[in-house]
Amino acid sequence: MARGPGRSLRLALCLAPLLFAAGWAAANRPVVYEGFRRLVAADPGWLAAGAGFTCLTWVAASCVRQGALPDPVPPRLLLASQFAAGAANHVLPGGLGAHAVTLRFLRGQGVPLERATASIGLYSLVKSVAKALVLVVFLAASPARRRLGELIPDGRLLIPLAAGVGGAVTVAGVLLTVVRPLRRPVAALLRTAVSDARAVHARPRRVLALWGGAAAMPLVQAGALACVGASLGLGLPWEQVVLAHLAAGTAVGAVPAPGGLAVDAALVWTLVAFGSSPAPATATVIGYRVLTDWAPLLPGALVLSTLIRRNVV
């Protein structure tokens, strides 16, 4: 009798990603249809190159995940988990879906909870820092940076943003001060994070995987966008497309919208600011989202269900 509920729960977890993928596609039929229609008419050679860049994003993510962890994990299973994490990201905003899948994968590989959680924190931090550094390099090298002035938030918008960050820090400090049971696990997590960060940075291979993969991720993502733009006749140099992707993602990437909706809107605006017409810019972003997110959604859900069924995540 005890096995019945467990089997039912596992079956529900296996079917949930598939049901979500089908429901999402049904609810967004016009958008999905328009994106696929434009991709069918696009240059297949450039689309194949874009698909290759898309596959490299999962490889880069796997490198960063391994680089943030002192313990080695099976590379093939890690790559499969990152592919499946893309489907989970459509359920939870801000990358939480991918982090949840990765956390369950690491726990399944015997990594302690504190170490697995610390690796996710290091992954997020290094990924953000590396993307900002890559953006700075492109801003310094490209004369098109002058067209991004309107993308910089107005000073009045920075006030509520700073207030929100300050409020969150204050609430966290109050909770740690008042709620004593939180102090020990938080202190242990911080100690583990610092210790593991030192450990991985003492190993050249881990440093290369961590920082090299983090720097490569925005570049291969931008490469996929540039290939889609070339297939649809966007008409912009590749360096401007890369800069547009980096700038839009950095400016509004923190907005917790599932599927990158806020980034897509900013990306269309940035491509138009660089000189593209609105129609091809919109088509390029739609095609990019189809190629990188929507097309892998069902295969990713299938892989996620398989990993759940085999107790990998």
Side-chain angles (χ1 to χ4, degrees), residues 218-289:
L219 293 178
V220 295
Q221 290 170 345
L225 176 66
C227 290
V228 173
S231 72
L232 295 172
L234 181 63
L236 291 179
W238 70 269
E239 64 271 12
Q240 292 188 9
V241 178
V242 174
L243 180 57
H245 183 277
L246 292 170
T250 303
V252 297
V255 177
L261 299 179
V263 175
D264 289 349
L267 187 52
V268 171
W269 185 94
T270 310
L271 292 174
V272 173
F274 280 158
S276 174
S277 300
T282 304
T284 296
V285 174
I286 291 176
Y288 168 74
R289 193 57 66 186

Side-chain angles (χ1 to χ4, degrees), residues 24 81 88 92 99 139 153 157-158 161 184 221 276:
W24 185 92
S81 72
L92 298 174
H99 292 330
L139 285 175
L157 296 179
L158 296 179
L161 178 61
R184 181 173 297 178
Q221 290 170 345
S276 174

Side-chain angles (χ1 to χ4, degrees), residues 33 69 79 90 111 132 138 140 147 173 193 219-221 241 260 275 291 301:
Y33 171 78
L69 192 69
L79 180 60
H90 287 272
V111 179
F138 270 84
R147 301 182 182 181
L219 293 178
V220 295
Q221 290 170 345
V241 178
L291 186 65

Side-chain angles (χ1 to χ4, degrees), residues 6 8 28 31 82 124 133 239 262 267 302:
S8 299
N28 295 272
V31 177
Q82 296 310 292
S124 301
L133 292 176
E239 64 271 12
L267 187 52
L302 289 171

Side-chain angles (χ1 to χ4, degrees), residues 8-244:
S8 299
L9 178 60
R10 182 160 297 279
L11 179 61
L13 290 174
C14 292
L15 293 179
L18 303 179
L19 295 177
F20 173 79
W24 185 92
N28 295 272
R29 288 192 303 273
V31 177
V32 175
Y33 171 78
E34 179 65 15
F36 276 105
R37 186 185 69 81
R38 290 185 178 273
L39 283 181
V40 168
D43 187 311
W46 281 113
L47 287 182
F53 276 108
T54 300
C55 294
L56 288 178
T57 60
W58 301 314
V59 176
S62 300
C63 290
V64 184
R65 295 288 188 187
Q66 178 61 88
L69 192 69
D71 306 311
V73 292
R76 292 184 180 179
L77 289 179
L78 177 60
L79 180 60
S81 72
Q82 296 310 292
F83 179 60
N89 259 351
H90 287 272
V91 183
L92 298 174
L96 295 179
H99 292 330
V101 172
T102 301
L103 182 62
R104 287 184 57 89
F105 167 74
L106 295 179
R107 295 291 292 128
Q109 299 302 311
V111 179
L113 178 60
E114 291 178 355
R115 172 159 288 179
T117 306
S119 73
I120 291 175
L122 182 59
Y123 168 93
S124 301
L125 177 62
V126 171
K127 181 181 174 183
S128 300
V129 172
K131 185 175 183 179
L133 292 176
V134 173
L135 174 60
V136 169
V137 172
F138 270 84
L139 285 175
S142 175
R145 63 183 181 274
R146 293 188 294 270
R147 301 182 182 181
L148 296 175
E150 297 182 10
L151 193 63
I152 300 175
D154 187 85
R156 292 172 296 180
L157 296 179
L158 296 179
I159 297 177
L161 178 61
V165 174
V169 173
T170 302
V171 170
V174 171
L175 287 177
L176 291 177
T177 302
V178 176
V179 186
R180 293 185 177 181
L182 288 178
R183 297 179 189 175
R184 181 173 297 178
V186 171
L189 177 60
L190 292 177
R191 285 195 299 268
T192 302
V194 173
S195 175
D196 287 357
R198 291 176 177 174
V200 299
H201 283 89
R203 305 178 186 179
R205 290 185 178 181
R206 290 288 193 271
V207 173
L208 179 61
L210 181 63
W211 289 96
M217 282 185 67
L219 293 178
V220 295
Q221 290 170 345
L225 176 66
C227 290
V228 173
S231 72
L232 295 172
L234 181 63
L236 291 179
W238 70 269
E239 64 271 12
Q240 292 188 9
V241 178
V242 174
L243 180 57

